[in-house]
Amino acid sequence: TARSSSRSCAAAALPRPDRIDLRAEALDAFGQTFHDLRLSASLAGPRWRATLGSREASGELQFDPSGRGAVRARLRHLAVASTADGEARPDAAPDTRDSLETLPALDVVAERFSVGERQFGRLELQAVNEAANWRIETLSIGNADGRLDGKAVWRMRSPRRFELDFLLVANDAGGLLERLGF
């Protein structure tokens, strides 16, 4: 319609920011609250580069918006919120199939990864969105008590299911079970 084309022309005429500096006591994003947030981002060619600091996550990020997008994160720590029973918060996951199908590719390394009070150690995750499937090419979680290495496919269309092929090595079975809440 004429109205929507005039809006898109007006939006195209607006200046595009090339730097963002954000400070907030708390910011809700991705189903998580980030406390004492400091984010400094700048546009470098087609990619955004950012430095993130908060109680829940800190480190360096890159975002490439081409295609479905790609996020590369090198984090010193990543703490995912949990409910009282220790499970990941259900609102941390996208609500609809459409939002799942638009997730960007991920290349994440977190030196210290935790869910609630549970400390899991170093996390490496590489995943690609294939629209109908979320393919986890690398999943690695390691600490002094053990290591989990795997690959997975999360099928987002009916019948929905999650398939994980993994190897679990326990250096200290009791310590590993305790980390898992048993």
Side-chain angles (χ1 to χ4, degrees), residues 68 100-101 103-108 124-139 150-157 161-165:
R68 284 191 181 93
L100 291 172
E101 291 179 358
L103 288 172
L106 296 176
D107 178 0
V108 177
E124 293 180 42
L125 174 67
Q126 292 178 339
V128 177
N129 187 339
E130 298 174 336
N133 296 322
W134 182 254
R135 183 169 308 281
I136 299 171
E137 297 170 341
T138 302
L139 172 61
K151 296 179 182 215
V153 175
W154 179 8
R155 300 191 191 285
M156 294 182 262
R157 294 193 178 145
R161 65 177 182 244
F162 184 80
E163 299 171 4
L164 173 64
D165 181 17

Side-chain angles (χ1 to χ4, degrees), residues 23-182:
R23 307 267 187 268
E25 287 182 29
L27 177 73
D28 290 333
F30 312 108
Q32 169 120 3
T33 300
F34 294 88
H35 296 89
D36 302 324
L37 177 76
R38 296 168 320 284
L39 177 72
S40 180
S42 60
L43 194 57
R47 293 186 180 105
W48 282 93
R49 296 180 189 267
T51 301
L52 170 69
S54 75
R55 282 190 254 160
E56 292 74 21
S58 68
E60 305 295 319
L61 305 169
Q62 291 182 18
F63 176 68
D64 183 346
S66 61
R68 284 191 181 93
V71 174
R72 181 178 189 270
R74 297 299 179 259
L75 304 172
R76 289 178 291 285
H77 76 277
L78 174 61
V80 177
S82 69
T83 60
D85 63 3
E87 296 301 316
R89 283 180 23 187
D91 61 343
D95 293 331
T96 67
R97 185 181 75 199
D98 290 341
S99 62
L100 291 172
E101 291 179 358
T102 60
L103 288 172
L106 296 176
D107 178 0
V108 177
V109 174
E111 294 304 322
R112 292 184 337 261
F113 172 62
S114 62
V115 176
E117 297 299 316
R118 296 183 186 152
Q119 302 293 320
F120 290 104
R122 188 171 199 273
L123 167 71
E124 293 180 42
L125 174 67
Q126 292 178 339
V128 177
N129 187 339
E130 298 174 336
N133 296 322
W134 182 254
R135 183 169 308 281
I136 299 171
E137 297 170 341
T138 302
L139 172 61
S140 180
I141 300 173
N143 55 59
D145 297 322
R147 181 174 187 88
L148 175 123
D149 291 304
K151 296 179 182 215
V153 175
W154 179 8
R155 300 191 191 285
M156 294 182 262
R157 294 193 178 145
S158 188
R160 286 182 153 189
R161 65 177 182 244
F162 184 80
E163 299 171 4
L164 173 64
D165 181 17
F166 68 94
L167 172 66
L168 178 63
V169 176
N171 300 326
D172 178 345
L176 186 59
L177 289 170
E178 187 174 324
R179 280 183 195 267
L180 297 173
F182 297 103

